[in-house]
Amino acid sequence: GIQVEQSPPDLILQEGANSTLRCNFSDSVNNLQWFHQNPWGQLINLFYIPSGTKQNGRLSATTVATERYSLLYISSSQTTDSGVYFCAASGSARQLTFGSGTQLTVLP
Amino acid sequence: DTAVSQTPKYLVTQMGNDKSIKCEQNLGHDTMYWYKQDSKKFLKIMFSYNNKELIINETVPNRFSPKSPDKAHLNLHINSLELGDSAVYFCASSPDMGAGGTEAFFGQGTRLTVV
């Protein structure tokens, strides 16, 4: 099945800084999603982005399907952005395969 | 209105017991899933149902049995619980993912602790 790799595994930022999280996938995808798992354990949908670019406030995402990667940009980070960010993808199989996540800590 | 809801949110039980986790979605989706998140936060699919029929059954001990009474519900029953079953279990739903890729939504998770 599809393999999903995320980098970096850990990221520590000062409040107000910008960051880029990367997701590489091993095969063509028909679904790619970014999630934020907050400190309470909830998985929050950030983007559904199998291709192209989307923006939502301080967050934006780009998926280049032909090169098999996706990027999540966080600008002007806030302490509430802390948590684990997951990328998940599906190809021909009818299931999402998750990456191992990026643990983001934003310091005040 | 909660889109995908799981109960209970927390479950503490002794080894050897049998327990169930319930999941309901009100999104009108055709496909429902169970995922397991281990202590290192890795999320792995366990089961997938499409219109009440099992379509994915990953390598999961047969002590785990999903049941889908209708396409809005997918329950997970676990027999003879073991310490290693302690994890967070997530239910999710999506429109038929086989139709070309569609967005999945997750419940709030059930933290199972086996003592």
Side-chain angles (χ1 to χ4, degrees):
Chain A
I2 197 166
Q3 308 294 317
V4 180
E5 292 183 356
Q6 291 185 243
S7 60
D10 296 279
L11 189 56
I12 300 174
L13 300 174
Q14 209 66 40
E15 201 168 26
N18 302 330
S19 61
T20 301
L21 281 57
R22 187 176 179 102
C23 172
N24 293 333
F25 41 92
S26 62
D27 207 344
S28 58
V29 297
N30 55 27
N31 180 353
L32 188 129
Q33 292 185 238
W34 284 97
F35 297 89
H36 175 215
Q37 188 166 36
N38 63 23
W40 296 270
Q42 291 177 296
L43 279 168
I44 310 297
N45 286 39
L46 296 178
F47 294 102
Y48 168 68
I49 188 163
S51 64
T53 297
K54 291 186 178 180
Q55 178 151 9
N56 184 2
R58 296 181 297 103
L59 272 60
S60 63
T62 295
T63 297
V64 183
T66 52
E67 297 187 23
R68 299 185 183 166
Y69 72 89
S70 183
L71 302 173
L72 177 69
Y73 305 97
I74 305 174
S75 64
S76 304
S77 56
Q78 301 175 358
T79 56
T80 52
D81 295 332
S82 295
V84 183
Y85 288 80
F86 288 103
C87 169
S90 69
S92 55
R94 293 157 102 166
Q95 63 184 74
L96 279 176
T97 297
F98 279 77
S100 52
T102 292
Q103 174 75 58
L104 175 65
T105 304
V106 181
L107 302 174
Chain B
D1 282 344
T2 304
V4 183
S5 60
Q6 299 178 224
T7 54
K9 189 170 180 182
Y10 300 98
L11 186 52
V12 181
T13 188
Q14 291 188 323
M15 274 195 304
N17 283 351
D18 303 338
K19 290 293 178 185
S20 292
I21 306 172
K22 295 186 176 181
C23 179
E24 176 181 6
Q25 55 95 4
N26 63 5
L27 297 168
H29 288 166
D30 294 316
T31 307
M32 295 185 72
Y33 314 83
W34 279 106
Y35 280 80
K36 178 179 180 180
Q37 186 172 42
D38 62 23
S39 58
K40 295 184 178 178
K41 295 198 178 290
F42 187 67
L43 278 148
K44 185 172 166 59
I45 184 127
M46 299 174 70
F47 301 102
S48 171
Y49 267 73
N50 189 63
N51 278 319
K52 302 195 304 173
E53 291 188 25
L54 180 67
I55 55 173
I56 291 171
N57 182 356
E58 292 295 310
T59 306
V60 174
N62 58 15
R63 298 182 295 102
F64 290 78
S65 54
K67 291 210 170 28
S68 182
D70 56 61
K71 77 172 194 177
H73 295 84
L74 181 62
N75 303 323
L76 183 65
H77 189 76
I78 316 170
N79 289 329
S80 303
L81 277 155
E82 300 177 357
L83 292 175
D85 298 332
S86 296
V88 181
Y89 293 86
F90 284 95
C91 176
S93 75
S94 72
D96 185 357
M97 199 167 277
T102 53
E103 188 173 7
F105 294 86
F106 283 72
Q108 77 273 30
T110 295
R111 182 175 294 277
L112 171 66
T113 304
V114 182
V115 297

